[in-house]
Structures are given as C-alpha cells and as structure tokens.
Amino acid sequence: MRIADVLRNKGAGVLTTSPDTVVRDLVSGLVKRNVGAMVVVGPDSVVGIVSERDVVRMLHEHGVEALECRVADVMTTDVVTCTSEDTVDGLSALMTTHRVRHVPVVDDGRLAGIVSIGDVVKTRMEELQAEREQLAAYITQG
Ligand code: AMP
C-alpha cells in the first residue's frame, strides 16, 4: 500500500506550528488536538518537527522554565520526510531506522500530509484482516 492510500483514508490535514510559538502554547495545542507532534513551518517551507518527546527532554534539562522557550529551541531541524508515492512498508522501515514516530509527507516541496506510527500500525492491521478474510473465504469455498 502507498502513502497516498493512507492519506486518502485519514485525510491530508497536518497540524503545524511556527518556530516562534512559545512551548507552553505548543503543549496546549498538542493536548487539545490530541497529537504527539507538529510540523514546524516557516514562511515558505517545513523548517522542523517538534514532538512531545522534545518537550519532555527540555523539561528534564531546564525544568518548568522550558515552557517559556520557543519551538525553535526544541525542534528537530533535520526532518525525515517521505512522499505520497512511497510505500507503507518503506515508511515503516524509515521510522525504525531513524527512531521517529511521525513523518511529514512532502510532494514537490509541498506539505501533503503526515503519517504517524499509529497510522502505519492501523494500515498493517487492516491489510492482515483483509488477507485473513480472503484466506478464510478461499478455504470455505474451496
Ligand atoms: P517522535 O518519536 O516522533 O515523538 O520523535 C522523537 C524525536 O525525533 C524528537 O526529537 C522529534 O523532534 C524527532 N522527530 C520526530 N519526527 C521526526 C522526523 N520526521 N524527522 C526528524 N526528526 C523527527
């Protein structure tokens, strides 16, 4: 299955934030929207990604004062991305290699969606269920 198929099911919406956002507001956004990461966008493109893990690390290192920092201080700037044409299996390997749970989908420089490890697991489970039903039908009809 391709990433384009995943986006067709889950939608192409991506929650974004800016490098200037105060971490306290980022945390509020993560909680309200029930997501684990946001893509950080600049004037014309993706400039980073920030996840709950970055906030936890910052809190560990700086205490509650970390909440007054800016997203630019905590985000990862070397963003691992994929395209709509990539496969879910390929993305799964990419997530494992880079130890990340969120991968923005970028097509021709345009942010086209985001896929989380939860989306990958859901897709794989649906594939396995479909395979199981096909095999059961094959056996009972055969
Ligand atoms: P996550 O597992 O997605 O919560 O992120 C764990 C760490 O990897 C955090 O430091 C994130 O900023 C970083 N991270 C998450 N997604 C990506 C990505 N697609 N590319 C690069 N770094 C990422």
PDB file of all heavy atoms in Angstrom, residues 39 46 78-83 86 91 94 98 100 102-107 111:
ATOM      1  N   VAL A  39       4.351  19.708  12.808  1.00  0.00           N
ATOM      2  CA  VAL A  39       5.349  20.119  11.829  1.00  0.00           C
ATOM      3  C   VAL A  39       5.559  21.623  12.000  1.00  0.00           C
ATOM      4  O   VAL A  39       4.593  22.376  12.165  1.00  0.00           O
ATOM      5  CB  VAL A  39       4.866  19.791  10.392  1.00  0.00           C
ATOM      6  CG1 VAL A  39       5.882  20.279   9.364  1.00  0.00           C
ATOM      7  CG2 VAL A  39       4.628  18.294  10.245  1.00  0.00           C
ATOM      8  N   VAL A  46       8.745  23.659   5.276  1.00  0.00           N
ATOM      9  CA  VAL A  46       8.938  22.962   6.554  1.00  0.00           C
ATOM     10  C   VAL A  46      10.332  23.296   7.081  1.00  0.00           C
ATOM     11  O   VAL A  46      11.318  23.173   6.360  1.00  0.00           O
ATOM     12  CB  VAL A  46       8.812  21.429   6.331  1.00  0.00           C
ATOM     13  CG1 VAL A  46       9.216  20.668   7.578  1.00  0.00           C
ATOM     14  CG2 VAL A  46       7.397  21.066   5.901  1.00  0.00           C
ATOM     15  N   ASP A  78      16.517  18.637  11.183  1.00  0.00           N
ATOM     16  CA  ASP A  78      16.851  17.698  10.100  1.00  0.00           C
ATOM     17  C   ASP A  78      15.682  16.722   9.950  1.00  0.00           C
ATOM     18  O   ASP A  78      15.695  15.625  10.511  1.00  0.00           O
ATOM     19  CB  ASP A  78      18.148  16.974  10.490  1.00  0.00           C
ATOM     20  CG  ASP A  78      18.753  16.231   9.318  1.00  0.00           C
ATOM     21  OD1 ASP A  78      18.249  16.411   8.198  1.00  0.00           O
ATOM     22  OD2 ASP A  78      19.708  15.467   9.538  1.00  0.00           O
ATOM     23  N   VAL A  79      14.661  17.137   9.211  1.00  0.00           N
ATOM     24  CA  VAL A  79      13.400  16.391   9.187  1.00  0.00           C
ATOM     25  C   VAL A  79      13.452  15.233   8.180  1.00  0.00           C
ATOM     26  O   VAL A  79      13.828  15.427   7.024  1.00  0.00           O
ATOM     27  CB  VAL A  79      12.216  17.318   8.839  1.00  0.00           C
ATOM     28  CG1 VAL A  79      10.899  16.548   8.917  1.00  0.00           C
ATOM     29  CG2 VAL A  79      12.180  18.523   9.765  1.00  0.00           C
ATOM     30  N   VAL A  80      13.052  14.064   8.653  1.00  0.00           N
ATOM     31  CA  VAL A  80      12.925  12.894   7.778  1.00  0.00           C
ATOM     32  C   VAL A  80      11.537  12.969   7.150  1.00  0.00           C
ATOM     33  O   VAL A  80      10.539  13.041   7.872  1.00  0.00           O
ATOM     34  CB  VAL A  80      13.061  11.582   8.586  1.00  0.00           C
ATOM     35  CG1 VAL A  80      12.843  10.374   7.698  1.00  0.00           C
ATOM     36  CG2 VAL A  80      14.407  11.521   9.286  1.00  0.00           C
ATOM     37  N   THR A  81      11.476  12.970   5.829  1.00  0.00           N
ATOM     38  CA  THR A  81      10.176  13.069   5.148  1.00  0.00           C
ATOM     39  C   THR A  81      10.001  11.892   4.185  1.00  0.00           C
ATOM     40  O   THR A  81      10.949  11.163   3.888  1.00  0.00           O
ATOM     41  CB  THR A  81      10.066  14.379   4.344  1.00  0.00           C
ATOM     42  OG1 THR A  81      11.080  14.387   3.330  1.00  0.00           O
ATOM     43  CG2 THR A  81      10.220  15.606   5.234  1.00  0.00           C
ATOM     44  N   CYS A  82       8.773  11.745   3.692  1.00  0.00           N
ATOM     45  CA  CYS A  82       8.512  10.765   2.634  1.00  0.00           C
ATOM     46  C   CYS A  82       7.637  11.446   1.588  1.00  0.00           C
ATOM     47  O   CYS A  82       7.282  12.619   1.757  1.00  0.00           O
ATOM     48  CB  CYS A  82       7.805   9.531   3.211  1.00  0.00           C
ATOM     49  SG  CYS A  82       6.143   9.875   3.812  1.00  0.00           S
ATOM     50  N   THR A  83       7.300  10.727   0.522  1.00  0.00           N
ATOM     51  CA  THR A  83       6.388  11.270  -0.488  1.00  0.00           C
ATOM     52  C   THR A  83       5.152  10.367  -0.580  1.00  0.00           C
ATOM     53  O   THR A  83       5.168   9.236  -0.073  1.00  0.00           O
ATOM     54  CB  THR A  83       7.043  11.339  -1.892  1.00  0.00           C
ATOM     55  OG1 THR A  83       7.088  10.008  -2.425  1.00  0.00           O
ATOM     56  CG2 THR A  83       8.438  11.929  -1.832  1.00  0.00           C
ATOM     57  N   ASP A  86       5.710   6.798  -1.843  1.00  0.00           N
ATOM     58  CA  ASP A  86       6.408   5.781  -1.059  1.00  0.00           C
ATOM     59  C   ASP A  86       5.418   4.726  -0.555  1.00  0.00           C
ATOM     60  O   ASP A  86       4.207   4.965  -0.503  1.00  0.00           O
ATOM     61  CB  ASP A  86       7.118   6.426   0.143  1.00  0.00           C
ATOM     62  CG  ASP A  86       8.307   7.269  -0.300  1.00  0.00           C
ATOM     63  OD1 ASP A  86       8.888   6.969  -1.353  1.00  0.00           O
ATOM     64  OD2 ASP A  86       8.623   8.255   0.399  1.00  0.00           O
ATOM     65  N   LEU A  91       8.036   3.162   4.636  1.00  0.00           N
ATOM     66  CA  LEU A  91       7.935   4.165   5.702  1.00  0.00           C
ATOM     67  C   LEU A  91       8.157   3.525   7.072  1.00  0.00           C
ATOM     68  O   LEU A  91       8.807   4.104   7.943  1.00  0.00           O
ATOM     69  CB  LEU A  91       6.564   4.843   5.653  1.00  0.00           C
ATOM     70  CG  LEU A  91       6.373   5.938   6.701  1.00  0.00           C
ATOM     71  CD1 LEU A  91       7.334   7.081   6.458  1.00  0.00           C
ATOM     72  CD2 LEU A  91       4.954   6.443   6.719  1.00  0.00           C
ATOM     73  N   LEU A  94      11.731   3.184   7.518  1.00  0.00           N
ATOM     74  CA  LEU A  94      12.314   4.522   7.742  1.00  0.00           C
ATOM     75  C   LEU A  94      12.121   4.951   9.202  1.00  0.00           C
ATOM     76  O   LEU A  94      13.044   5.462   9.845  1.00  0.00           O
ATOM     77  CB  LEU A  94      11.621   5.518   6.800  1.00  0.00           C
ATOM     78  CG  LEU A  94      12.244   6.892   6.601  1.00  0.00           C
ATOM     79  CD1 LEU A  94      13.526   6.766   5.772  1.00  0.00           C
ATOM     80  CD2 LEU A  94      11.262   7.817   5.888  1.00  0.00           C
ATOM     81  N   HIS A  98      15.264   5.558  11.818  1.00  0.00           N
ATOM     82  CA  HIS A  98      15.500   6.895  12.400  1.00  0.00           C
ATOM     83  C   HIS A  98      14.895   7.057  13.796  1.00  0.00           C
ATOM     84  O   HIS A  98      15.046   8.113  14.406  1.00  0.00           O
ATOM     85  CB  HIS A  98      14.955   7.980  11.465  1.00  0.00           C
ATOM     86  CG  HIS A  98      15.700   8.075  10.175  1.00  0.00           C
ATOM     87  ND1 HIS A  98      16.862   8.802  10.045  1.00  0.00           N
ATOM     88  CD2 HIS A  98      15.474   7.516   8.970  1.00  0.00           C
ATOM     89  CE1 HIS A  98      17.315   8.686   8.802  1.00  0.00           C
ATOM     90  NE2 HIS A  98      16.480   7.910   8.131  1.00  0.00           N
ATOM     91  N   VAL A 100      11.789   7.490  14.740  1.00  0.00           N
ATOM     92  CA  VAL A 100      10.796   8.568  14.821  1.00  0.00           C
ATOM     93  C   VAL A 100       9.410   7.978  14.623  1.00  0.00           C
ATOM     94  O   VAL A 100       9.249   6.933  13.996  1.00  0.00           O
ATOM     95  CB  VAL A 100      11.042   9.682  13.764  1.00  0.00           C
ATOM     96  CG1 VAL A 100      12.383  10.352  14.018  1.00  0.00           C
ATOM     97  CG2 VAL A 100      10.955   9.146  12.350  1.00  0.00           C
ATOM     98  N   HIS A 102       6.704  10.041  13.643  1.00  0.00           N
ATOM     99  CA  HIS A 102       5.920  10.936  12.788  1.00  0.00           C
ATOM    100  C   HIS A 102       6.746  11.306  11.565  1.00  0.00           C
ATOM    101  O   HIS A 102       7.894  11.730  11.715  1.00  0.00           O
ATOM    102  CB  HIS A 102       5.571  12.228  13.541  1.00  0.00           C
ATOM    103  CG  HIS A 102       4.873  11.980  14.837  1.00  0.00           C
ATOM    104  ND1 HIS A 102       5.541  11.782  16.022  1.00  0.00           N
ATOM    105  CD2 HIS A 102       3.554  11.874  15.124  1.00  0.00           C
ATOM    106  CE1 HIS A 102       4.668  11.569  16.996  1.00  0.00           C
ATOM    107  NE2 HIS A 102       3.456  11.620  16.479  1.00  0.00           N
ATOM    108  N   VAL A 103       6.150  11.155  10.382  1.00  0.00           N
ATOM    109  CA  VAL A 103       6.880  11.525   9.160  1.00  0.00           C
ATOM    110  C   VAL A 103       5.985  12.394   8.266  1.00  0.00           C
ATOM    111  O   VAL A 103       4.942  11.934   7.787  1.00  0.00           O
ATOM    112  CB  VAL A 103       7.357  10.260   8.394  1.00  0.00           C
ATOM    113  CG1 VAL A 103       8.012  10.648   7.077  1.00  0.00           C
ATOM    114  CG2 VAL A 103       8.340   9.451   9.245  1.00  0.00           C
ATOM    115  N   PRO A 104       6.395  13.656   8.054  1.00  0.00           N
ATOM    116  CA  PRO A 104       5.631  14.514   7.138  1.00  0.00           C
ATOM    117  C   PRO A 104       5.755  14.001   5.701  1.00  0.00           C
ATOM    118  O   PRO A 104       6.799  13.484   5.309  1.00  0.00           O
ATOM    119  CB  PRO A 104       6.312  15.882   7.272  1.00  0.00           C
ATOM    120  CG  PRO A 104       7.108  15.814   8.535  1.00  0.00           C
ATOM    121  CD  PRO A 104       7.492  14.380   8.700  1.00  0.00           C
ATOM    122  N   VAL A 105       4.662  14.154   4.952  1.00  0.00           N
ATOM    123  CA  VAL A 105       4.658  13.762   3.540  1.00  0.00           C
ATOM    124  C   VAL A 105       4.865  15.039   2.724  1.00  0.00           C
ATOM    125  O   VAL A 105       4.088  15.991   2.846  1.00  0.00           O
ATOM    126  CB  VAL A 105       3.311  13.105   3.152  1.00  0.00           C
ATOM    127  CG1 VAL A 105       3.358  12.593   1.721  1.00  0.00           C
ATOM    128  CG2 VAL A 105       2.959  11.981   4.134  1.00  0.00           C
ATOM    129  N   VAL A 106       5.922  15.074   1.940  1.00  0.00           N
ATOM    130  CA  VAL A 106       6.236  16.266   1.155  1.00  0.00           C
ATOM    131  C   VAL A 106       6.301  15.875  -0.319  1.00  0.00           C
ATOM    132  O   VAL A 106       7.107  15.027  -0.706  1.00  0.00           O
ATOM    133  CB  VAL A 106       7.569  16.907   1.617  1.00  0.00           C
ATOM    134  CG1 VAL A 106       7.901  18.125   0.760  1.00  0.00           C
ATOM    135  CG2 VAL A 106       7.497  17.310   3.098  1.00  0.00           C
ATOM    136  N   ASP A 107       5.419  16.475  -1.122  1.00  0.00           N
ATOM    137  CA  ASP A 107       5.400  16.221  -2.564  1.00  0.00           C
ATOM    138  C   ASP A 107       5.807  17.491  -3.291  1.00  0.00           C
ATOM    139  O   ASP A 107       5.132  18.527  -3.168  1.00  0.00           O
ATOM    140  CB  ASP A 107       3.986  15.812  -3.014  1.00  0.00           C
ATOM    141  CG  ASP A 107       3.606  14.426  -2.510  1.00  0.00           C
ATOM    142  OD1 ASP A 107       4.522  13.600  -2.298  1.00  0.00           O
ATOM    143  OD2 ASP A 107       2.395  14.178  -2.328  1.00  0.00           O
ATOM    144  N   LEU A 111       3.826  20.463   1.588  1.00  0.00           N
ATOM    145  CA  LEU A 111       3.432  19.592   2.701  1.00  0.00           C
ATOM    146  C   LEU A 111       2.074  18.967   2.376  1.00  0.00           C
ATOM    147  O   LEU A 111       1.068  19.669   2.273  1.00  0.00           O
ATOM    148  CB  LEU A 111       3.355  20.429   3.989  1.00  0.00           C
ATOM    149  CG  LEU A 111       3.069  19.690   5.293  1.00  0.00           C
ATOM    150  CD1 LEU A 111       4.107  18.616   5.574  1.00  0.00           C
ATOM    151  CD2 LEU A 111       3.010  20.701   6.444  1.00  0.00           C
TER     152      LEU A 111
END
